[in-house]
Amino acid sequence: ARGLSLACAFAGLPCGGGALALRGDPRRDKSTALIAALADRFAGFHETDPLLEDVGMVAADLPDRPATGRRPSNVPRLDPSQMTARGLLRGIETAVHRVRGSADLRGCRVAIQGLGRVGMRLADCLHDAGAELTVADVNPSRVAMAEKWYRARSVAPDMIHATRVDVLAPCATGGVLTPANAPEVRARIVAGAASGVLSAPDVRHDLTAQGVLLAPDFVVNAGGVITLHGISGGDAASAIEARVDGIRHTLSEVFERAARDGLPPLDVAMAWAGRNGGAPQPPKFAA
């Protein structure tokens, strides 16, 4: 919930975020009855509060409202996961430009951890941009698809963080970089869609000491909430896409300030979002 609220703040959206979890294995425990129970809980929220799918859920799983028997009118026609991947791509381009002096991703080596809807769509975007992919997922069929479609190399899920690449993109669950495995990171950049990439705040210092550039996850993964807010407000697709593309400018400014102040980018982003007595304030450049 905190990560979503931070993402909204950096995207310049006048709203916050919440999180809801269903306990169970989505391949075994997801059922019509479970989704109906979720619908009953969600029915108490205001009509303008949209649901965004996350790990283990897809857009088709989102519940209809029991009162009408219809899906909420604000569920977007644009795919939020596609727009999350688009925003993450812009963030990766920005970070690569910072490190290599060019945003050209041809030949750039990217390791994607997690091939769900966002991770697979990111793989598609990166492949089109000419990047070389290494992938990992607990679902062998997803890995096989990436190997076939994108000529990706695959590694074991517990080794993806240690792959020698230019960019590590965690796109599954959060907390994947820990004090124990952070020293094993061989990427020059960490930029992923997972919320809360670090298991503990101090891990950022380990990465900085290793020369790893960490893109704050709540900056680069904001494409989905930007899309939902835009659709619920009746914005045109072109306007939403332009705001998602604006993630590159937001992240660039974070990097600039971090370099100027000699701080990790995450520190700069957190301080920026928490200014004015702790209330997240959207940066002027994020519009």
Side-chain angles (χ1 to χ4, degrees), residues 196-224:
V197 171
L198 308 183
S199 68
D202 286 349
V203 176
R204 71 193 190 282
H205 296 303
D206 298 330
L207 296 176
T208 299
Q210 295 163 217
V212 178
L213 181 64
L214 174 66
D217 53 90
F218 54 84
V219 176
V220 299
N221 69 9

Side-chain angles (χ1 to χ4, degrees), residues 95-188:
V96 168
H97 183 271
R98 186 81 190 176
V99 170
R100 299 174 58 177
S102 170
D104 189 345
L105 298 182
R106 286 176 294 182
C108 184
R109 300 166 299 167
V110 182
I112 303 176
Q113 180 188 44
L115 292 170
R117 290 177 64 82
V118 173
M120 193 64 86
R121 290 181 182 280
L122 176 65
D124 189 62
C125 295
L126 289 169
H127 176 73
D128 287 346
E132 300 174 3
L133 303 181
T134 300
V135 300
D137 194 277
V138 295
N139 187 335
S141 65
R142 305 291 289 181
V143 173
M145 284 189 286
E147 290 175 328
K148 177 180 179 180
W149 295 346
Y150 310 124
R151 299 180 182 176
R153 183 172 72 95
S154 63
V155 298
D158 61 352
M159 292 302 297
I160 187 74
H161 70 279
T163 305
R164 191 174 295 278
V165 291
D166 297 299
V167 182
L168 171 62
C171 293
T173 56
V176 295
L177 296 183
T178 69
N181 67 23
E184 301 172 353
V185 172
R186 296 293 177 267
R188 302 177 68 189

